[in-house]
Amino acid sequence: MTLRWEDWPSGLLDRLRAGCVIPAHPLALTAGRKLDPRRQKALSRYYLDAGSGGIAVGVHTTQFAIREVGLYEPVLRIAAEAAAEQATPPILVAGVVGRTEQAVREARIARGLGYHAVLLSLAAWKGASEDELVAHCEAVAAEMPLFGFYLQPAVGGLPLPASFWRRFARIPNAIGIKIAPFNRYATLDVLRGVLESGAADRIALYTGNDDHIVGDLLTRFDLGGAKPLRIVGGLLGHWSVWTRAAVELQRRCQVVGDGPIPAELLALDAQVTEMNAAVFDVAHAFHGVIAGCHEILRRQGLLEGIWCLDPHEDLSPGQAELLTAVAARYPHLTDDAFVRDNLSRWLA
């Protein structure tokens, strides 16, 4: 049975299209690298109480290897349980991967748990034609509303031209795109494709460009269409940490609209990017990206340790010192006090 975006609870689609913060959800493990359900749910509660409009689970930040150890359904279920505690339902996005059979199977699991959309990774389709990619997207969209995902090639993504995004945006059950190639030219390819598709009013544009978050949110993309395009929110691994500050930042960018951009707000783009360089371990080609997110959450008490399913995933040399430095340099972009005041309740 297909879930369509027209079937969503009242207000959910408006929130997505207006723009919000959607953190990419990490995985809480014990020292034995087993799921820690208490802290997994605490993370979900943190994101939602911080003001996030939704959460994305089963994505890169959750670790793709959850599928190999039987944790895909359990981690999706825990987040759904935390979402059910909220007075206002959040947008629940499930990451789906693999070839069509696997992606459809994961979409059905997500639909059964009450998720609203799937974020579709195309990393398993290297060497495929554009026709094959579009057919795959259409098959998954026949199950659930679809969030497209332009993943940067440095971590396994495919180059996807404007022609692909034009065809993707025309899929009736496509509702959004996470733009994360970490490349301005490729970002414009997505926007051009959406503009030429005629579906710009249906497709919500979300940044995944962790190296240019504020710039994406502030830019009016006037590309010759009937009206400019806007990137309205973010679905970001970076926003899995210091989330309360991220919510305030996204709201400040949203308020500006088409008006003059204050210099101090524009200056935040470089500050956020420098913070991201530390969290995502840019100096070591993103090796410590997940561990970097975990380290911030460990320091705040949300996680017990920074353990990943892969024991080789850890902080890189000097990364911990960089995290300390950027947190001290930009305290207005952190939320330690907010976490400290609510941590015991989230862990209860």
Side-chain angles (χ1 to χ4, degrees):
M1 187 175 100
T2 302
L3 174 67
R4 303 196 179 277
W5 55 265
E6 294 94 337
D7 302 324
W8 281 6
S10 176
L12 214 63
L13 186 64
D14 290 340
R15 192 180 323 145
L16 178 74
R17 290 177 175 169
C20 63
V21 166
I22 303 180
H25 204 304
L27 179 68
L29 297 177
T30 66
R33 303 186 195 277
K34 303 296 183 182
L35 178 65
D36 185 337
R38 175 169 166 260
R39 292 185 181 275
Q40 189 70 24
K41 183 169 286 188
L43 284 173
S44 298
R45 289 168 171 166
Y46 160 50
Y47 298 133
L48 297 173
D49 283 2
S52 299
I55 43 179
V57 191
V59 295
H60 174 252
T61 310
T62 325
Q63 301 175 52
F64 290 135
I66 57 173
R67 294 156 175 85
E68 301 166 16
V69 294
L71 289 181
Y72 182 75
E73 189 274 344
V75 298
L76 262 64
R77 182 180 298 278
I78 289 170
E81 291 170 352
E85 299 171 353
Q86 300 290 310
T88 302
I91 303 162
L92 291 176
V93 180
V96 300
V97 304
R99 306 291 279 198
T100 303
E101 182 180 358
Q102 178 180 350
V104 166
R105 182 171 64 251
E106 292 182 359
R108 289 173 178 168
I109 291 171
R111 187 178 65 205
L113 292 171
Y115 279 68
H116 305 107
V118 292
L119 179 70
L120 183 61
S121 169
L122 299 176
W125 288 86
K126 286 183 174 62
S129 68
E130 187 173 296
D131 286 346
E132 289 174 314
L133 293 175
V134 172
H136 173 64
C137 293
E138 289 173 337
V140 179
E143 301 293 332
M144 287 189 70
L146 199 59
F147 230 107
F149 184 14
Y150 199 161
L151 174 67
Q152 61 161 322
V155 290
L158 310 180
L160 298 167
S163 58
F164 168 79
W165 293 110
R166 181 169 59 248
R167 296 173 68 181
F168 176 90
R170 287 174 176 163
I171 297 172
N173 212 21
I175 46 85
I177 299 172
K178 171 180 174 173
I179 309 170
F182 286 34
N183 180 301
R184 305 318 294 160
Y185 301 112
T187 294
L188 289 171
D189 282 341
V190 179
L191 296 166
R192 171 60 56 193
V194 171
L195 183 64
E196 293 178 355
S197 73
D201 288 339
R202 171 165 47 81
I203 302 295
L205 299 173
Y206 275 62
T207 183
N209 287 320
D210 300 76
D211 63 339
H212 203 60
I213 296 169
V214 179
D216 275 356
L217 294 173
L218 290 176
T219 300
R220 186 178 78 168
F221 295 93
D222 194 345
L223 304 179
K227 64 179 182 179
L229 298 178
R230 302 300 301 244
I231 295 175
V232 295
L235 196 166
L236 291 156
H238 181 82
W239 281 354
S240 71
V241 299
W242 300 313
T243 309
R244 181 70 169 180
V247 168
E248 293 304 315
L249 176 64
Q250 189 267 342
R251 287 174 179 167
R252 288 179 65 188
C253 293
Q254 198 171 45
V255 167
V256 170
D258 292 330
I261 301 173
E264 64 271 16
L265 185 55
L266 191 58
L268 290 177
D269 188 53
Q271 297 177 9
V272 172
T273 300
E274 189 174 21
M275 294 184 84
N276 181 262
V279 176
F280 273 29
D281 192 28
V282 174
H284 298 90
F286 305 99
H287 171 78
V289 54
I290 294 177
C293 296
H294 287 188
E295 175 63 9
I296 298 300
L297 298 169
R298 184 199 65 79
R299 293 180 184 188
Q300 292 181 316
L302 282 156
L303 292 183
E304 186 181 1
I306 66 169
W307 308 293
C308 296
L309 290 170
D310 181 351
H312 298 293
E313 286 197 55
D314 204 344
L315 294 175
S316 291
Q319 189 179 1
E321 291 78 8
L322 280 176
L323 290 170
T324 300
V326 294
R329 195 175 298 137
Y330 308 122
H332 52 289
L333 296 175
T334 69
D335 66 355
D336 293 352
F338 172 71
V339 174
R340 185 168 55 250
D341 291 345
N342 293 279
L343 181 61
S344 60
R345 180 168 57 83
W346 298 329
L347 287 169

